[in-house]
Amino acid sequence: MKTILLTGFEPFGGEHSNPSWEAVRRLEGKHLHDGSRIVTALLPCAFGAALDSLSAKIRLVAPEVVVCVGQAGGRADLTIERVAINVDDAPIADNLGYQPIDAPIVAAGPVGYFSSLPIKAIVQALHAKGIPASVSQTAGTYVCNHVFYGLMHMASSRHAIQQAGFVHIPFLPEQAAAHPGAPSMSLSMMMEALMILLETSISVKHDSQISGGTTH
Amino acid sequence: MKTILLTGFEPFGGEHSNPSWEAVRRLEGKHLHDGSRIVTALLPCAFGAALDSLSAKIRLVAPEVVVCVGQAGGRADLTIERVAINVDDAPIADNLGYQPIDAPIVAAGPVGYFSSLPIKAIVQALHAKGIPASVSQTAGTYVCNHVFYGLMHMASSRHAIQQAGFVHIPFLPEQAAAHPGAPSMSLSMMMEALMILLETSISVKHDSQISGGTTH
Amino acid sequence: MKTILLTGFEPFGGEHSNPSWEAVRRLEGKHLHDGSRIVTALLPCAFGAALDSLSAKIRLVAPEVVVCVGQAGGRADLTIERVAINVDDAPIADNLGYQPIDAPIVAAGPVGYFSSLPIKAIVQALHAKGIPASVSQTAGTYVCNHVFYGLMHMASSRHAIQQAGFVHIPFLPEQAAAHPGAPSMSLSMMMEALMILLETSISVKHDSQISGGTTH
Amino acid sequence: MKTILLTGFEPFGGEHSNPSWEAVRRLEGKHLHDGSRIVTALLPCAFGAALDSLSAKIRLVAPEVVVCVGQAGGRADLTIERVAINVDDAPIADNLGYQPIDAPIVAAGPVGYFSSLPIKAIVQALHAKGIPASVSQTAGTYVCNHVFYGLMHMASSRHAIQQAGFVHIPFLPEQAAAHPGAPSMSLSMMMEALMILLETSISVKHDSQISGGTTH
């Protein structure tokens, strides 16, 4: 039985809520089939501060699995991120007013880290339940990628963390109502999807050999 | 207290279900706040046959309000259709194998009919409930537009029908799971949206003066 | 040998140029293969005023063919408009600050007019020359549709006008450079496309029986 | 005066031409302002074979700058790639019928390499000339990313290569004509853009501090 840390973000970019925290906070204390327990944390949408929060929570709860969740307004499905890259390049300022451009997240850190979640098996499991999902080749260059990279960097030296990764979720319908043409997903489906993602992560030993790639 | 006819379509284009019928059939027999009662009908996805079905049902139940619902795979929100045009131009064959090109729906009929639903007030009411919705300037040239045009043509000569119109709804999530990147909406939100649409239609006397237009 | 009136618009919506006028003005005085001559006019991007200009020019040059061209920022190809509808519903104010909502263009006018250009044959001819093009089912509800509807209304009572219609063209590349992700088309291709459109219009007697429709 | 190697790809995915090679081959032997000379090469669209070709050409011409160009059907602008990742995950088979899934490009190679081109200054220079362009955070997981990664891996150990990178270009108009709604760019603009990209690459010492990032 493992401890699973699941994180969400506070709102940013003018939104009044962030679907990642709305979905994540409702899973606090839930148990997976094998008895593993979910612990949650809210991260600030701010470079540096977000990783400080994540790091403190990891020290506190010593999780075996860490999955961070972020909002991807404009995407239509759950996107399981494949890779984090070592750069902050912010198109808008973060919630503390900071807008880094082409700054490394970890000085002299590697260019990237791959997710250690079974990203293909997760997509398969979600599709099997009728939930739109795909692999994503980029988590962007904002606070989401910053946290994803920082998480994988911690996991690379902290062997108690067996699996770690990042998933982007769409707008909630009430957000999409204010963004004409923007796709959305219901809160209950997001919650169900995160549970499936976690169950798949702890049960799959070898990821599925199916394509999740793109030509460009 | 009115009789409200709400129709959905059978699946087409290789889909296994059609969200319009999935949502509509669950509203059979429901009552609106003023006591008006919903009667539903399933229409075949076929030129001609769909209008025959609709016409027979209208004669049978003598509705004061008729709203037809169709699937718009690829659209992210409920789209309240503004206008039907007098042309069948099918990009794919219908469910009976018929693919008309540039054929009038009603010989010598007018070029178009505007919806008689309060389309702006409906969008406002849906937004107020956090449901993504917008006005659409085209219902296409396939069976949906065919039914919409035929409905408005019947309504133009059958004065018992006080209001009539058409609304397109997105894919269900389980459909979108098979169409990478396609937006979707939950079945429960579709059902809630249709109820709001009907409540608004029977209660609004003058449509809202807000823009629902596009530059092109 | 005919007189062909080709019109473009002044810039609107914060743009510094309008590709429709940039392309159209360079075709002033050009001749088609049969000797027909192109006359051009610049229309203001303003409800009412645009139709006054168009009407005056039509009285002046007595054209047999009239094609109005407008900018559709965000579309990737030449879109040959199928139908004009009798409504002004402006999402933004026009260049004179006027923003009508759900106002008829012609009081008691018909709901719509179909283009009298051979829209399918035009798309075919453009494709044959490697130019992206398609039929569009909506010209929007702004000044472009306003002019298109007004033009067809004039043509319906002015029998000297044998053919009339509307075509939308994409941003120019220099406009797209300021709109991240927006598609564009080169000015020279737009000019070539308009010439092909005109040649096809005056030479085709019966439009092609190919689908240019959409399911929604 | 440097030797600049510019490569394009053969057609793939059912296309009859590849805009990357169409544009690149027309620049063979051209000189930049400082006298540097462009050498070109055609790469097969095949995992492994493409890198063998590239490697052989690099040994042959000993370039100081290498820029590989690929087709990104569906993108509207020139996209200057920021990062290559160490994975082949092919959504379709390559031109030799090979479809690797989640295979490393270089066993035990680093997860990623950043481009050593001044990607922000290139975007700025292109915008200044009215050419649509942006930074891209992913080159996909197909042969383009494969070549980009392999190129940067070679450059990391071959110090004669001072700068290397990858750029994706849209469909040509004649390709887009067969893909309804797909954006395109003219061949002459692609050629002009590649010349600007190369001139900027060899003249800029420090990349511009402007954002080219995305929130996700």
Side-chain angles (χ1 to χ4, degrees), chain A residues 7-10 21 41-46 49-51 53-55 57 68 147:
Chain A
T7 73
F9 281 103
E10 61 181 17
W21 180 237
L42 171 65
L43 304 183
C45 185
L51 277 178
S53 282
L54 178 63
S55 173
K57 191 74 176 190
C68 297
V147 161

Side-chain angles (χ1 to χ4, degrees), chain A residues 191-213:
Chain A
M191 290 167 60
E192 182 190 354
L194 292 177
M195 291 301 289
I196 293 169
L197 180 152
L198 295 178
E199 293 283 5
T200 306
S201 295
I202 63 168
S203 64
V204 165
K205 295 286 165 268
H206 301 286
D207 200 2
S208 305
Q209 286 296 298
I210 54 168
S211 176

Side-chain angles (χ1 to χ4, degrees), chain A residues 120-135:
Chain A
K120 307 294 183 70
I122 291 168
V123 169
Q124 268 185 315
L126 291 169
H127 284 181
K129 293 289 186 179
I131 300 176
S134 59
V135 170

Side-chain angles (χ1 to χ4, degrees), chain C residues 116-134:
Chain C
S116 54
L117 302 179
I119 60 176
K120 307 294 182 73
I122 291 168
V123 169
Q124 268 186 315
L126 290 168
H127 284 181
K129 293 290 185 178
I131 300 177
S134 58

Side-chain angles (χ1 to χ4, degrees), chain B residues 47-158:
Chain B
F47 294 97
L51 277 178
D52 292 344
S53 282
L54 178 63
S55 173
K57 190 75 178 188
I58 286 176
R59 281 195 302 273
L60 189 67
V61 305
E64 282 84 14
V65 178
V66 185
V67 176
C68 298
V69 187
Q71 164 193 302
R75 291 193 189 169
D77 57 355
L78 247 86
T79 43
I80 320 302
E81 297 296 345
R82 185 196 291 267
V83 64
I85 60 174
N86 190 17
V87 67
D88 289 334
D89 188 7
I92 54 174
D94 70 12
N95 285 0
L96 295 179
Y98 181 50
Q99 187 175 5
I101 291 181
D102 291 348
I105 299 165
V106 174
V111 167
Y113 283 108
F114 286 120
S115 173
S116 53
L117 302 178
I119 60 176
K120 308 295 183 69
I122 290 168
V123 169
Q124 269 185 313
L126 291 168
H127 284 182
K129 294 288 187 179
I131 300 176
S134 58
V135 170
S136 165
Q137 325 303 336
T138 173
T141 57
Y142 196 55
V143 183
C144 288
N145 174 73
H146 177 87
V147 162
F148 183 16
Y149 184 91
L151 165 63
M152 301 312 298
H153 191 69
M154 284 182 233
S156 73
S157 63
R158 193 179 180 97

Side-chain angles (χ1 to χ4, degrees), chain C residues 141-161:
Chain C
T141 58
Y142 196 57
V143 183
C144 288
N145 174 73
H146 177 88
V147 161
F148 182 15
Y149 184 91
L151 164 64
M152 300 313 298
H153 191 69
M154 285 182 235
S156 73
S157 63
R158 194 178 178 98
H159 299 299
I161 300 179

Side-chain angles (χ1 to χ4, degrees), chain D residues 91-117:
Chain D
I92 53 173
D94 70 12
N95 283 1
L96 296 179
Y98 181 51
Q99 186 175 5
I101 290 181
D102 292 346
I105 299 165
V106 174
V111 167
Y113 283 107
F114 286 120
S115 172
S116 53
L117 301 179

